[in-house]
Amino acid sequence: MYPIAPVMRAWFLDKGRQHPQLKIHRRQLLFTPAFGMTAISAQGQTFSNGAIVELCIGGSSSSTMFSYVALTRVKRREDLLIPRPFPFDIF
């Protein structure tokens, strides 16, 4: 969980004038769109900011390989987040 606090910003609509007067105030929550990808599209990439890997998968050998690819996209174990338990027997 990440705390998100409202931010107040102000600017002038007429900032090109010599004496701006049309000041606007906006209060908003700053969100960044989420970004996700499949393990196949992550192949060959390294995620220096970390990765969240979902391992609740089926038991096929191809799914096991996709999971391995997803798990090995980070350099350090601390940069990897696995959000829920997964079956160990697939590995």
Side-chain angles (χ1 to χ4, degrees):
M1 294 176 51
Y2 297 96
I4 300 172
V7 175
M8 178 71 88
R9 305 280 177 166
W11 68 93
F12 288 94
L13 282 177
D14 55 349
K15 67 179 180 179
R17 292 185 174 181
Q18 187 173 7
H19 302 290
Q21 296 182 8
L22 298 173
K23 190 171 188 176
I24 303 292
H25 293 275
R26 174 182 271 174
R27 183 185 194 117
Q28 64 185 23
L29 296 173
L30 300 177
F31 287 110
T32 303
F35 180 75
M37 66 174 41
T38 64
I40 295 170
S41 62
Q43 237 174 344
Q45 298 185 35
T46 301
F47 300 115
S48 57
N49 292 331
I52 301 172
V53 178
E54 182 63 62
L55 294 176
C56 292
I57 56 175
S60 70
S61 61
S62 62
S63 296
T64 305
M65 289 308 297
F66 294 150
S67 298
Y68 175 77
V69 169
L71 290 170
T72 58
R73 299 301 93 204
V74 295
K75 289 184 177 182
R76 301 178 318 142
R77 184 174 54 193
E78 294 81 19
D79 294 336
L80 180 66
L81 175 64
I82 302 172
R84 57 180 128 183
F86 61 93
F88 293 112
D89 57 337
I90 62 172
F91 294 102

